[in-house]
Amino acid sequence: MFRLPTGLRYLSILALLTLLAAPGAGAQTSAPTPSISLPGSQSPFTGSEPEQKVTPEVLPLDFAGAIERGLRHNLGLLISGDQTIAARGEKWKQLSELLPDFSARVTEDVQTQSLTALGLKSNVFPFPVPRVIGPFNYIDLRANLTQSLFSFKNIENERAAGESLKSAQFTYKDARELVVLAVGNAYLQAISGAARVETSEAQVTNAQALYDKAIDQQKAGLSPAIDTLRSQVELQTRQQQLISARNDFAKQKLSLARVIGLAPGQEFVLTEKAPYQSLTPQPLDVYLQRAYSARSDYQAAQAQLRAAEFSRRAATAGHYPTLDVNANYGDIGVTPAQSNGTWQVAGSLNIPIFAGGKTHSDVLNAEAQLRQARSQLGDLRGRIDYEVRASLLDLNAAAEQVEVARSSVELAEEALTQSRDRFAAGVTDNLEVVQAQEAVASAHESYIQSLYTHNLAKIELARAIGDAEEGVKRFLKGDR
């Protein structure tokens, strides 16, 4: 059987490593594209209400600290909290229609009266009639009570407002989950950027050593000028990638600071590296059951559906009679000393007969909103199923990518060591070393990207089952 010579076989392996790692080479100069989905084209979860004071010392920032700051300052969460307050106000508004309306007033009336304007003229009576009488006055001290004894429409509207408040509260909890997702993604991107800077610096050091070696060998007459030129091009390429990596890392830190609400200009350092802990997922049915019972957005959609059902019943209740009572009690007279107590109680039964189609319009609008709420709940249930399944697929694929990328790094570094030895021994020129250095750079980039993808997949799985705020730390440590 024909066997390639050792040198050709080694070059074939080196070329194969270069081709396998090539797709990741271009990615080294740019930050990875986030795979998470946040609501809105310019999501409020990417912004914050920043702190005002910049501390003079450099702030150490770990993963847990970043999440804690995000939960205090993230704009999306603050807006969701304000919407919860608005929903609470709407509930009180609807409740006020069922509670008694009690008020008091003091009236002092001084007036004159035109008898002529009332049609009383002197030619009607045998005696003179003045054109204007007065002034005269009276004082009225009175308390008023209005109470709806029965209004099915108001009862159902209050129930709908109560469910809308529950929906807003669940939405606020879901916003906390989205903050964890946004902060986690930003922090992982930043530590990936830091890793790229470190590897780029190491690659510049290696390229500098190769360039210096090429210069020495050219001066000694052991290698041609093309080797020196080739190594210089490689050095400048690595220097450009280092500049780009540092710039990307600085912008990733800015994005992280925006998400968690650090004061503009606050200096901070990341205290954690890209962690890797394998995670053995639980069965799919277990995750789906947890998602349907724990996800706040699903519970918010269910509450919104119940609110729409109550609103539909309230609209129909526009055809029903209502029963109200009005009462007042007070003192009225010319002066407080010359006043008399008076009171009045009136009950009314209001029977709607024809309102010009307004009630029918309200019913149609409420029915449309009810159907939309049902469709949205069904869509969300399907989306939860998709997100859980997709997160598990991403997690399994990312775990395999990490293992392959780690092996590729070891192989590429071993190939680089051998190529350096061959170049030092004069067996080959430095083209082989340059190719090996590029393979190492690509393998490191693939490894960094696979770590980011694996950790992000854990955070997305925690979000998919509704356990992001409490479960992210466990997931990153490999706990289920």
Side-chain angles (χ1 to χ4, degrees), residues 55-169:
T55 59
E57 65 274 5
V58 178
L59 179 69
L61 187 66
D62 60 3
F63 191 84
I67 291 178
E68 189 270 334
R69 287 178 177 273
L71 292 175
R72 288 204 315 263
H73 301 289
N74 188 270
L75 179 61
L77 187 60
L78 296 177
I79 292 176
S80 181
D82 294 338
Q83 292 171 345
T84 303
I85 295 175
R88 187 176 293 111
E90 181 63 25
K91 183 180 186 302
W92 275 104
K93 178 182 178 181
Q94 296 301 330
L95 181 61
S96 67
E97 299 294 331
L98 300 175
L99 297 177
D101 185 356
F102 184 79
S103 63
R105 76 173 187 272
V106 178
T107 304
E108 182 174 1
D109 189 293
V110 180
Q111 62 176 316
T112 60
Q113 183 66 54
S114 173
L115 298 181
T116 303
L118 297 176
L120 301 178
K121 301 179 181 179
S122 298
N123 57 5
V124 177
F125 298 96
F127 52 86
V129 177
R131 295 173 57 86
V132 177
I133 61 174
F136 56 89
N137 70 289
Y138 70 91
I139 296 176
D140 189 6
L141 224 69
R142 192 158 303 277
N144 298 279
L145 174 67
T146 301
Q147 173 66 60
S148 173
L149 296 181
F150 176 77
S151 174
F152 192 70
K153 180 177 182 178
N154 290 342
I155 293 173
E156 295 302 300
N157 279 333
E158 192 278 332
R159 290 175 177 173
E163 292 298 328
S164 294
L165 175 58
K166 291 180 181 178
S167 177
Q169 291 170 339

Side-chain angles (χ1 to χ4, degrees), residues 459-470:
I459 297 177
E460 289 182 322
L461 177 59
R463 156 63 182 163
I465 64 176
D467 192 33
E469 185 174 355
E470 300 296 332

Side-chain angles (χ1 to χ4, degrees), residues 99-348:
L99 297 177
D101 185 356
F102 184 79
S103 63
R105 76 173 187 272
V106 178
T107 304
E108 182 174 1
D109 189 293
V110 180
Q111 62 176 316
T112 60
Q113 183 66 54
S114 173
L115 298 181
T116 303
L118 297 176
L120 301 178
K121 301 179 181 179
S122 298
N123 57 5
V124 177
F125 298 96
F127 52 86
V129 177
R131 295 173 57 86
V132 177
I133 61 174
F136 56 89
N137 70 289
Y138 70 91
I139 296 176
D140 189 6
L141 224 69
R142 192 158 303 277
N144 298 279
L145 174 67
T146 301
Q147 173 66 60
S148 173
L149 296 181
F150 176 77
S151 174
F152 192 70
K153 180 177 182 178
N154 290 342
I155 293 173
E156 295 302 300
N157 279 333
E158 192 278 332
R159 290 175 177 173
E163 292 298 328
S164 294
L165 175 58
K166 291 180 181 178
S167 177
Q169 291 170 339
F170 283 125
T171 300
Y172 178 78
K173 292 181 180 179
D174 185 62
R176 295 179 67 90
E177 299 276 297
L178 290 174
V179 169
V180 173
L181 182 62
V183 174
N185 176 66
Y187 196 93
L188 290 176
Q189 279 191 327
I191 59 180
S192 296
R196 287 186 176 88
V197 171
E198 291 180 2
T199 57
S200 296
E201 290 173 346
Q203 290 157 17
V204 168
T205 301
N206 292 336
Q208 183 68 56
L210 177 63
Y211 177 58
D212 294 340
K213 181 71 172 178
I215 291 178
D216 293 340
Q217 289 192 346
Q218 181 183 358
K219 290 179 178 179
L222 300 177
S223 63
I226 187 62
D227 283 354
T228 305
L229 180 62
R230 187 184 298 119
S231 59
Q232 184 177 8
V233 171
E234 173 68 9
L235 173 60
Q236 292 180 350
T237 300
R238 297 305 163 195
Q239 289 173 337
Q240 288 178 345
Q241 291 181 348
L242 176 58
I243 294 171
S244 178
R246 286 174 174 168
N247 183 65
D248 289 341
F249 177 49
K251 291 193 294 184
Q252 288 159 358
K253 289 181 66 178
L254 288 176
S255 298
L256 176 60
R258 285 278 298 129
V259 172
I260 65 177
L262 287 180
Q266 175 66 59
E267 293 293 333
F268 67 96
V269 293
L270 306 177
T271 60
E272 296 190 18
K273 303 294 184 180
Y276 175 71
Q277 290 289 338
S278 61
L279 176 68
T280 303
Q282 295 183 359
L284 174 63
D285 293 340
V286 174
Y287 283 135
L288 287 175
Q289 184 178 1
R290 289 174 61 181
Y292 292 132
S293 62
R295 280 196 47 161
S296 298
D297 56 344
Y298 189 65
Q299 293 173 326
Q302 289 176 320
Q304 198 59 45
L305 175 60
R306 292 192 295 268
E309 291 172 345
F310 284 129
S311 295
R312 172 67 171 79
R313 293 164 64 178
T316 304
H319 296 294
Y320 303 163
T322 60
L323 182 61
D324 304 303
V325 63
N326 295 278
N328 67 77
Y329 177 82
D331 268 3
I332 186 170
V334 178
T335 64
Q338 299 175 339
S339 62
N340 300 298
T342 60
W343 57 271
Q344 179 185 18
V345 177
S348 59

Side-chain angles (χ1 to χ4, degrees), residues 406-453:
R406 179 183 292 168
S407 176
S408 297
V409 169
E410 295 174 355
L411 291 174
E413 289 180 344
E414 182 181 354
L416 176 60
T417 301
Q418 294 184 17
S419 64
R420 285 174 179 169
D421 294 341
R422 288 164 56 83
F423 176 61
V427 176
T428 182
D429 58 17
N430 68 350
L431 175 61
E432 186 178 308
V433 182
V434 170
Q435 291 176 338
Q437 285 181 338
E438 292 179 355
V440 169
S442 298
H444 275 286
E445 168 59 29
S446 297
Y447 182 61
I448 293 171
Q449 179 66 25
S450 65
L451 281 179
Y452 165 78
T453 304

